[in-house]
Amino acid sequence: MNPVLEPLFRTVRATHPKADLRLIERAYDVAAYHHRDQKRKSGDPYITHPLAVATILAELGTDDETLCAALLHDTVEDTAYGLDELRGDFGDTIGSLVDGVTKLDKVKFGDAAQAETVRKMVVAMSRDIRVLIIKLADRLHNMRTMRYLPEHKRHQKSRETLEIFAPLAHRLGMNTIKWELEDLAFAMLYPKRYDEIARMVSERAPRRDLFLQEVIEKVHGDLREAKIRAVVKGRPKHYYSVYQKMIARDVAFDDIYDLVGIRVLVDSVRDCYAALGTIHARWNPVPGRFKDYIAMPKFNMYQSLHTTVIGPEGKPVELQIRTHAMHHRAEYGVAAHWKYKEEVGAPGPTGKVKPGSDMAWLRQLLDWQKETSDPGEFLESLRFDLSVSEVYVFTPKGQVIALPEGATPVDFAYAVHTEVGHRCIGARVNGRLVPLESRLGNGDTVEIFTSKSPDAGPSRDWLKFVKSGRARNKIRQWFSKERRETAIEAGKEAIGRAMRKQGLPLQRLMSGEALLALARDLRYPDVSALYAAVGEGHIAAQAVVQKLVASIGGVDSAEEDIAETSLPTRLRGRPRGGGGAGVVVAGDADVWVRLSKCCTPVPGDEIVGFVTRGHGVSVHRADCTNVQQLKTQPDRLVEVSWSPSDDSVFLVAIQVEALDRPRLLSDVTRTLSDQHVNILSASVTTSRDRVAVSKFTFEMGDPKHLGHVLKAVRNIQGVFDVYRVSGAGG
């Protein structure tokens, strides 16, 4: 046997003892032969990649056909080895798997032109789910070795991973792969946020580990007394999930991280409920935090009991209680089916998902791709559907329907049937009449009232509150077919209104040529289609106006207005001359000079001067965004140079980016005042992803002092980046 395969075979023997090792070795030999002259970006022989992908899959316990396809997955695309030859050597099943993965390799995630290929992935998944499992393992190994790619490629791949691949792994219940993909992509896309969370985790780890050990010992002792065999262990914390919880629950890091997580593994379902009773007998449960996913499994076959109790020292403790088989499925998802084939809804011998299995989501996706003509819309729906969790509601006859979190009776109506959605006029939830925009909760029973009128149809307002991709698509389709004329008028009016608001010349901008050129740029066939898109809410009227203005060279004379948003830095009795500003103009020492506020230049920066009308010379940094516009009037540019005196004071603008928490702003301002800087202005915005961006403008006599200021601010807890901003746009 080839010694290179020994680690792989050791894993295969442990997870899939009946696998055909000779077949796997033959697949390796063929792949190694055809990839023999190829190298990866890292300089390693190319065969190391298929081997690593096969090893990841072996750890999941997949079957020998999947392992062979993993070893051969790049041969058809990257070598002279053809698909027909591969089918002849290894049979149709392995040939189909390799073909499916090869097609997936061509899938690009991004704009509408590329989004069409996402359909291939959906179709390939529906035919044989193993295609996607191989692709996920392939992406995982690529993410582990991503550092050898250029930066723009790393960012693009990481974004795809967070938006598409990690949520797909979650949908398939493959949590081990999902967590690692998320952490790798998070570290690549937001290295500073990742490092800050890692730093905060490591600082608190020792204290937290002691508390965790105490809880584990108490739980273990109680279960032993109750004669329940159990494995009790701490749950690993993944940096990206910590960050996501901070965003979702809108709380600070400490409140998330101090929440201790425990996992209890028992032998049977009966023991799960017995263990729950034992734990609730010791500690009081937190109301509303108990979830029974054993009786009501999640969409991805996940089963477990979740409860939160008030543990020692009054601190909350999260517990997950499940059987060993449930745990294996929670970690490996669909891939675990090969290990537990006797379970209901497992894939058949070919790995295809049987009708009636838990993969209903996949069938729903197939329906979508048939219904949705616009690939961009399909990709948007897929992204949204992957990113949300679900609620389960009942029809009056007791049928369970899964909907996205925050779904409304309208979403429910469209889930039942398109016509029910279109004709929906009211709803009763748990026997009570409710508004159509009400949010549904787990376990609600929903009854829909429909209109008998032949003219009945959805309301445009529904688009503001529906949550499911299906409902949104169906409503848009209805309007695009039935209400195109109305949409065109509404769009035309909205664009005109946006122009009048800004006092723009309507006649000039609404001319046929300018609008037609813009429609073509935005990939609309004609101006009517552009108006309709605005009317239906696909594109904002304001965005169209901005693009129109840009296309005709911007609003006249705006350049100088933008450039001159500047204030004199320091006048103090010196209305003329450049000494107070620390700048002199070549050939004329007695000119009033002011440092432009748009880019706040300080000694050491390369600068240019611009003669303004009645306001002396404004000084900009050479790399200021406004200088490009000023260069169109070269006769007004003058040479300037630094000549700071003891009483010169300079404006400096800095930007602080931090993970949001209470008292963050007061900590930053206190640190700045400790550094003896005089703050002139401050602004703070907090984004939806829990990042607080603060901008401070302050006076400073010696620009060399700036390095110490930045260092002091960087050491504040939660701050992951601080830098000087070089212009109005940062």
Side-chain angles (χ1 to χ4, degrees), residues 286-298:
V286 176
R289 293 300 301 274
F290 169 67
K291 292 192 172 65
D292 186 343
Y293 293 120
I294 292 179
M296 291 272 290
K298 284 192 181 182

Side-chain angles (χ1 to χ4, degrees), residues 683-695:
S683 69
V684 185
T685 55
T686 303
S687 61
R688 285 173 61 196
D689 56 357
R690 296 286 302 178
V691 172
V693 177
S694 324
K695 288 183 181 169

Side-chain angles (χ1 to χ4, degrees), residues 115 138 148 151 156 175 205 271 305 318 331 346 361 366 404 544 560:
D138 174 52
Y148 299 106
E151 188 179 5
Q156 180 202 351
N175 284 325
D271 286 348
L305 295 177
E318 278 184 345
E331 296 290 294
W361 169 76
L366 266 182
V544 172
E560 196 169 321

Side-chain angles (χ1 to χ4, degrees), residues 374 377 380 460 463 472-473 475-477 479-480 487 524 529-541 543-544:
D374 176 12
E377 202 171 290
E380 184 194 329
R460 197 179 293 278
L463 287 169
R472 193 177 291 108
N473 286 344
I475 295 167
R476 280 181 181 158
Q477 274 175 21
F479 278 110
S480 61
Y524 292 109
L530 176 63
Y531 286 150
V534 173
E536 288 167 2
H538 293 311
I539 182 169
V544 172

Side-chain angles (χ1 to χ4, degrees), residues 243-264:
Y243 180 53
Q244 285 299 95
K245 278 186 178 175
M246 287 167 65
I247 296 169
R249 296 190 192 169
D250 200 29
V251 290
F253 170 82
D254 284 347
D255 297 335
I256 292 290
Y257 191 70
D258 286 347
L259 199 64
V260 167
I262 299 284
R263 188 169 286 144
V264 180

Side-chain angles (χ1 to χ4, degrees), residues 565-569 595-602 649-656 665 668-669 672-673 676-684 693-701 706 709-710 713 722-730:
T565 52
S566 56
L567 292 178
T569 307
L595 301 179
S596 170
K597 200 179 178 187
C598 65
C599 56
T600 57
V602 298
V649 176
F650 305 97
L651 282 186
V652 177
I654 66 167
Q655 181 154 311
V656 181
L665 184 59
V668 176
T669 48
L672 287 173
S673 64
H676 311 294
V677 299
N678 178 27
I679 300 172
L680 297 179
S681 69
S683 69
V684 185
V693 177
S694 324
K695 288 183 181 169
F696 297 92
T697 306
F698 49 81
E699 289 182 330
M700 183 176 277
L706 182 62
V709 174
L710 296 179
V713 174
V722 55
Y723 50 87
R724 179 181 165 206
V725 287
S726 57

Side-chain angles (χ1 to χ4, degrees), residues 564-726:
E564 298 315 316
T565 52
S566 56
L567 292 178
T569 307
R570 179 90 154 199
L571 295 178
R572 286 198 190 164
R574 298 191 60 169
R576 307 197 75 75
V583 175
V584 291
V585 178
D588 191 348
D590 195 33
V591 175
W592 182 20
V593 175
R594 58 197 185 140
L595 301 179
S596 170
K597 200 179 178 187
C598 65
C599 56
T600 57
V602 298
D605 293 340
E606 203 180 320
I607 50 174
V608 294
F610 182 75
V611 180
T612 64
R613 291 177 181 139
H615 297 293
V617 171
S618 74
V619 177
H620 295 260
R621 286 174 54 149
D623 59 357
C624 174
T625 48
N626 293 321
V627 167
Q628 296 308 315
Q629 296 167 347
L630 304 180
K631 281 180 179 170
T632 58
Q633 304 170 62
D635 52 319
R636 293 171 66 183
L637 291 174
V638 291
E639 201 177 312
V640 287
S641 57
W642 289 111
S643 175
S645 58
D646 289 344
D647 68 338
S648 295
V649 176
F650 305 97
L651 282 186
V652 177
I654 66 167
Q655 181 154 311
V656 181
E657 295 175 8
L659 300 172
D660 193 28
R661 63 175 174 82
R663 298 186 303 283
L664 175 68
L665 184 59
S666 68
D667 286 354
V668 176
T669 48
R670 191 182 67 246
T671 303
L672 287 173
S673 64
D674 289 348
Q675 292 294 313
H676 311 294
V677 299
N678 178 27
I679 300 172
L680 297 179
S681 69
S683 69
V684 185
T685 55
T686 303
S687 61
R688 285 173 61 196
D689 56 357
R690 296 286 302 178
V691 172
V693 177
S694 324
K695 288 183 181 169
F696 297 92
T697 306
F698 49 81
E699 289 182 330
M700 183 176 277
D702 180 6
K704 290 177 188 153
H705 180 46
L706 182 62
H708 299 292
V709 174
L710 296 179
K711 191 175 178 185
V713 174
R714 174 67 189 84
N715 286 331
I716 298 169
Q717 183 196 313
V719 172
F720 60 79
D721 207 1
V722 55
Y723 50 87
R724 179 181 165 206
V725 287
S726 57

